[in-house]
Amino acid sequence: MAETTSRILALLNLLQTHRQWGGGDLAQRLGVTERTLRRDIERLRELGYRVGATRGAAGGYRLEAGSQLPPLLLTDDEAVTMAIGLRVAATQGLSDGELTTLSALAKFEQVLPAALRQRVNAVAGFVQPQSPYPRPDDASVSQELLGQLALACRDRERIRFHYAAASGVESDRVVEPHTLVAAARRWFFVCWDLQRDEWRTFRVDRMTRFFGTRVHFEPRELPAEDAAAFVASALASLRRRLSGEAHLRMPLAEMRERFGPWSAEASAIDAEWTNWPINGDSFETMLSALVWIPAGVEYTLHGPPEFLAFAADAAERMRSAVPANSPVAPARG
């Protein structure tokens, strides 16, 4: 009886970690005949697990969604990883993320063995998820959509979705999923875009009308160390899309000494003036760099007319914000 129970648990573990298994592959991994495998499948069904079966050369068994959540079989490492992930999830911009994940975490940790709970607490003490102040364009992400995307990544299934870009342009995409990455309080979807024939990243909060195609694909090699590095590179590229220049009345050597690593792209205009490129994903970000210019250093701004107009308007609004009777108010003529 103990041997049968252990085998059924092993079968459940295999079904949970793969979308579909061929009957022969499952029987071989479990070391049983296909007839015994069919009996074990029936035992799982009696326990409430919906195990689907298809005939033919491409057929096999798969664990399907049911009307309620059945017990999950997790290894110790998977349990620790899940608990840590729940703690981090509350900071990652999920819809109702904090309430839902903390509630799930409380239930989950209640049934953890004492040794595993100690591991979770020990690891969590050294996990510091970034939680900056919210920005005006922060948007929540559907947990259902994240789950669908994660399954598509796992199963290597092509998907379709509708996407609204930051520019307002909308399009329908067909992609081969790779990975989900949480960065800068947003979720990014890394995939191969079949229409563009290149690797792309998409913000998940801008994706709608998702559906799977049931078409599977062979994985491609990502042109980066990992998905997180790819997303970081894409974000850096985005920040460089808007650019301008500040011409500082300061020799290049002095400027580099004062600005340190922020002077990496600076170049000399002549012996007295230095050109300092300023980049960003918005005009506001670009202007924020100007506060680093030391007081008393003369400088001029150069760049697209839209940027210069934005800078002039911002300067006037800040000038107007200082009360006229303030001892530091500029002279107004």
Side-chain angles (χ1 to χ4, degrees), residues 60-117:
Y61 299 98
R62 60 186 292 166
L63 193 60
E64 298 179 345
S67 59
Q68 59 184 5
L69 181 67
L72 298 177
L73 182 64
L74 300 174
T75 66
D76 287 357
D77 288 341
E78 288 171 342
V80 172
T81 301
M82 182 174 290
I84 296 301
L86 285 171
R87 293 189 177 197
V88 174
T91 69
Q92 297 300 330
L94 294 174
S95 300
D96 298 324
E98 186 172 2
L99 177 62
T100 304
T101 53
L102 292 181
S103 173
L105 181 61
K107 296 176 182 178
F108 188 69
E109 291 194 345
Q110 184 177 359
V111 297
L112 283 179
L116 289 187
R117 192 178 299 112

Side-chain angles (χ1 to χ4, degrees), residues 32-312:
V32 298
T33 64
E34 292 196 34
R35 181 179 179 182
T36 299
L37 173 64
R38 288 193 292 271
R39 287 201 300 266
D40 289 346
I41 291 291
E42 286 303 319
R43 291 189 178 99
L44 282 179
R45 288 169 176 162
E46 291 172 1
L47 293 172
Y49 293 93
R50 293 186 57 182
V51 182
T54 54
R55 300 179 180 275
Y61 299 98
R62 60 186 292 166
L63 193 60
E64 298 179 345
S67 59
Q68 59 184 5
L69 181 67
L72 298 177
L73 182 64
L74 300 174
T75 66
D76 287 357
D77 288 341
E78 288 171 342
V80 172
T81 301
M82 182 174 290
I84 296 301
L86 285 171
R87 293 189 177 197
V88 174
T91 69
Q92 297 300 330
L94 294 174
S95 300
D96 298 324
E98 186 172 2
L99 177 62
T100 304
T101 53
L102 292 181
S103 173
L105 181 61
K107 296 176 182 178
F108 188 69
E109 291 194 345
Q110 184 177 359
V111 297
L112 283 179
L116 289 187
R117 192 178 299 112
Q118 290 176 1
R119 283 179 58 187
V120 169
N121 291 333
V123 175
F126 293 94
V127 174
Q128 299 293 328
Q130 186 181 21
S131 182
Y133 293 108
R135 295 170 298 189
D137 61 342
D138 277 350
S140 61
V141 173
S142 163
Q143 299 184 48
E144 180 181 0
L145 177 57
L146 278 180
Q148 291 173 326
L149 291 173
L151 286 176
C153 292
R154 185 194 71 177
D155 299 334
R156 299 172 185 168
E157 179 184 357
R158 288 181 182 174
I159 63 170
R160 296 177 181 270
F161 60 88
H162 186 75
Y163 192 72
S167 63
V169 176
E170 299 189 13
S171 59
D172 293 307
R173 302 301 182 102
V174 181
V175 304
E176 295 179 350
H178 184 277
T179 314
L180 285 165
V181 176
R185 285 187 61 84
R186 296 191 181 100
W187 283 95
F188 293 90
F189 181 50
V190 180
C191 58
W192 177 264
D193 190 323
L194 291 168
Q195 290 142 303
R196 301 289 182 86
D197 199 33
E198 63 181 359
W199 287 99
R200 298 293 302 274
T201 62
F202 295 95
R203 274 179 49 175
V204 178
D205 58 283
R206 293 175 177 163
M207 297 170 61
T208 56
R209 304 207 294 265
F210 166 96
F211 66 91
T213 65
R214 296 185 180 272
V215 176
H216 299 274
F217 60 90
E218 289 298 319
R220 303 172 187 265
E221 185 176 354
L222 190 68
E225 181 180 352
D226 53 34
F230 183 79
V231 170
S233 176
L235 292 177
S237 176
L238 176 64
R239 287 192 291 269
R240 290 194 294 268
R241 289 181 185 177
L242 297 175
S243 61
E245 297 174 350
H247 292 179
L248 283 61
R249 192 165 192 170
M250 177 186 290
L252 178 60
E254 181 183 351
M255 189 268 185
R256 286 180 171 169
E257 182 179 354
R258 299 283 293 271
F259 284 64
W262 303 106
S263 65
E265 298 182 356
S267 59
I269 297 176
D270 54 34
E272 187 178 6
W273 288 82
T274 295
N275 175 37
W276 183 37
I278 51 177
N279 309 299
D281 57 358
S282 67
F283 289 157
E284 291 88 349
T285 302
M286 294 170 64
L287 285 186
S288 68
L290 302 180
V291 301
W292 294 101
I293 299 177
V297 174
E298 180 184 349
Y299 67 93
T300 58
L301 284 181
H302 305 265
E306 299 83 1
F307 170 57
L308 297 181
F310 181 87

